[in-house]
Structures are given as structure tokens and as C-alpha cells.
Amino acid sequence: MTDHALYTLSISIAAALLAYILLWSGLQTFNANPTKRFLRIWGKLMLYYAAYTMPVWALLLLTGWMEGLFDLAWPVLPSAVAAMLLYFYTVIIQPNCLRLEHHAVDLGLSAPLTVAVLADLRIGLYSGKPRHIRKLVATINDLAVDAVLITGDWLYYPSADLVGQLMLFKGVNKPVYTVMSSSDLRYQSLNTTKQGQPLLEDTLACAFDVLDISYIGQQCTSLPLRCAAMPPSASRFDSTKEPQRLAAHASDAPVAVLCGWQDVPVQCGAIDAQNSVDKAKLGTKVTHARQPVIILASRFDSISDLPKSPQPRPLLITGAAKATQKNIWQAQKQQDIQRSDNNKGVLGNSRMGKQRGLYQHASAQIFVSSGIGTRGLPFRLYRPTIDVLTIR
């Protein structure tokens, strides 16, 4: 009788877990507002929310085995439990284990400049939950950095209320500069439904305006030293302290030029031609800049579009999420890139977690940031990372 009651209870719990996974992932699929690939997104979200139930499934498996409800060979049982707990860790725990990595870069600046680099936020299906953004913003605010640089890849099937989803970024107390990746641009009004309406209620560019984030696609701006000496809790919008702070730091003159190297999705020849003209103009600015140049881009293979051997060499800051094995092989044949610490080719390792770091190229120094968000399958094999660069 006891075995029958336990069996009934186990079946009821299992049915409740499956109902939760199916129904909640379905609701979140509608919230992601997809116009295409509805079933694919639903499947990804089922995998994601199934991770929350893994400890319960492991407990049910152990209880049923101990009570003799089913027989499992001894090597199979611990392997199954370990796989469930590992999946729970890589999907639920690992994305919250935010870490900082510090790097030093020699660029010949007149005064040191410290920046925080964020790559591949992927706000949408898996990443960018309020708890993730709160922790990210709190960590950034505690850093003594002059600016925050975001290399693009902001979105991964975000909700229709894009501004609302990103509103917590307004709490960042440092200047924030960003470019957009080609996938980000596809979420703009260019990507419309069959009825000709934008995919999202708000575009990403509109969100940047609301959040006071500086979008520098195909443009250049100056990077002054303004925030490193500020207390971490100070707000960049505190007008009462601004005059005293600026008076105390008379050396706030620009020490570097920051340029955005924007990827543009090619949909017709005219867009491609205009993109080439814009990049040519930006390349001229990079070549003739009076201060050292820092280039922000979403792809590390942007190195192929940079001016050939400008002096001094600029610093290219980028993410690596768009790298494919084909691009890696092609760039490996065409480029001579070496890692600064161990002379290992930046494109010689297909694991993106090991690609991060500083590399040397004839046209530029390249810093590859490993990223924060999650895309594709919902698990992460390495911790999300904020890279802090001290540029001298």
C-alpha cells in the first residue's frame, strides 16, 4: 500500500513538473513576441525551464530507486543524478556567477584610462532577467572605471517592451558607449512583420536614448578621464557635485578617441555601398587621429576592414560571439595574429571561452571579451565576465 501511494505521489509530481514546463515556456514564448520559429523558441524555453526542475527530478529518481519502484544499475544512477545537477548548475547557477577580469594594455596614452568591457549581453530568452541586470549594474557601479564599453549583441528574442526590459540599465553611474551588432539591427524597424509593423514596440536605438547610452556606430568621440576618481556610489547625473569634481580634475582633457565600427546587415547593394563609404570615412579618421584610437566593434574579424598599419596602432575591443569555424579558418590563413601572453593564435581555438584576451596584429591590438549572456542552448560552460582594461 505504501509503495502504491508513493508511486501515485511520484507520478503526480512528475505530471505537475511537465505541466509547468510546457505551460510556462509557452507563455514565455508569446512574451518573446516571435513572428517566426515559434515552435523552435518554445522548445528552447522548455529546455531552459526544465533546468529549474532538475533537483526535483533527481530527488524523485533517488527516492524511487531506494523504495524499489524501479531497478537501475549502480553506475547509471549516480551518472543520471550528476547529469541533472550539472544541467541545473550550468543553466541556473553559472549565469549568475558574474566575475571580473583585469587586463593591462599599452596604447601610449598621456594618462591611464580604465574601462569596463561588456560583450554579448543577449537580453531575451535566457539572459537579462531583472536579477541578472541588477547584479550587473551593481557590479559596474562599484568599479572605479572611466567608461563602460558594450560591444553589441544586446538582444536575443527580447520582449516587445524593450525599454521596460532594459530600464534597469539607467542605474549605471558611468558613461556608457555601445555599438550594435548585425543581429541587433535586425531587431530594428527594418525587421518588420508581414503587416509592415515593427517587430518591437520600441527599437533598440530608442531604448538607448531613454537609458542615456551613447550609440557610436560609425562615429568617433573623445574619452576623457572623468569617472575613475569618483566614488562608486556617485551618480553621473549629480549636478550639484559636477562643478566641484571638474574643478578638482583639471586634467580631464581627452586622452583617446573612441570610434564605433558598426556592422550593417546587407539586404541590398545600396546599403552595402553606403556601409563601405561610411567605413572608408571612419578609416580616414582613425588614420589621422591625433590621440590614440580605441575602436569598439561587435566582431573580431572587423580587423580585415581597418586601415592597414596605422601608427600608432589602435586598440580594437570586440566580442567573439559571431565567430564561426569557417570564419576562423579563413582569418587564420589571412591574418597574422598572436596572443600577447602565450603567442597562441586568437583564431586557433574554437572554444570562445578561451579566445578572450589581448592579441597583437600588424594593424591593431585586439582585445576579445568573452561575454555575459546566453544564446542557442540555455547552458553556459564558463562564467559571465566583465573585463576591466587599464589602458596606458
Side-chain angles (χ1 to χ4, degrees), residues 34-72:
T35 56
K36 301 177 181 178
R37 301 177 179 178
F38 184 92
L39 293 179
R40 178 181 297 183
I41 296 173
W42 190 8
K44 290 181 177 181
L45 285 174
M46 281 192 286
L47 291 175
Y48 176 69
Y49 288 108
Y52 286 89
T53 66
M54 286 297 109
V56 183
W57 288 111
L59 182 61
L60 288 176
L61 184 63
L62 285 172
T63 302
W65 179 78
M66 293 175 63
E67 295 295 331
L69 298 181
F70 50 81
D71 293 328
L72 283 178

Side-chain angles (χ1 to χ4, degrees), residues 23-34 38 41 45 158-160:
L23 294 177
W24 187 247
S25 60
L27 290 173
Q28 293 303 312
T29 303
F30 283 106
N31 185 51
N33 197 34
F38 184 92
I41 296 173
L45 285 174
S159 65

Side-chain angles (χ1 to χ4, degrees), residues 154-283:
W154 278 81
L155 307 177
Y156 186 63
Y157 294 106
S159 65
D161 183 16
L162 186 59
V163 172
Q165 194 169 12
L166 299 177
M167 185 55 70
L168 289 172
F169 279 100
K170 197 172 179 65
V172 177
N173 62 9
K174 313 287 193 302
V176 182
Y177 302 91
T178 188
V179 293
M180 286 191 280
S181 67
S182 57
S183 62
D184 291 332
L185 291 169
R186 292 190 187 100
Y187 284 105
Q188 301 299 295
S189 57
L190 293 175
N191 187 10
T192 57
T193 64
K194 293 181 179 179
Q195 292 75 29
Q197 298 299 317
L199 181 64
L200 302 175
E201 295 176 3
D202 302 297
T203 64
L204 188 55
C206 175
F208 291 157
D209 291 337
V210 174
L211 302 175
D212 298 306
I213 293 174
S214 299
Y215 171 61
I216 57 168
Q218 307 293 51
Q219 299 174 7
C220 294
T221 186
S222 298
L223 277 183
L225 294 173
R226 291 194 175 183
C227 293
M230 294 176 62
S233 59
S235 172
R236 55 175 170 167
F237 304 109
D238 192 344
S239 59
T240 61
K241 296 182 180 180
E242 186 74 6
Q244 295 88 338
R245 182 177 59 77
L246 291 179
H249 299 281
S251 62
D252 280 351
V255 296
V257 175
L258 177 66
C259 298
W261 203 264
Q262 181 63 66
D263 289 328
V264 177
V266 179
Q267 297 184 359
C268 64
I271 294 179
D272 185 45
Q274 184 60 45
N275 184 35
S276 300
V277 171
D278 292 341
K279 286 191 174 182
K281 292 180 179 178
L282 188 58

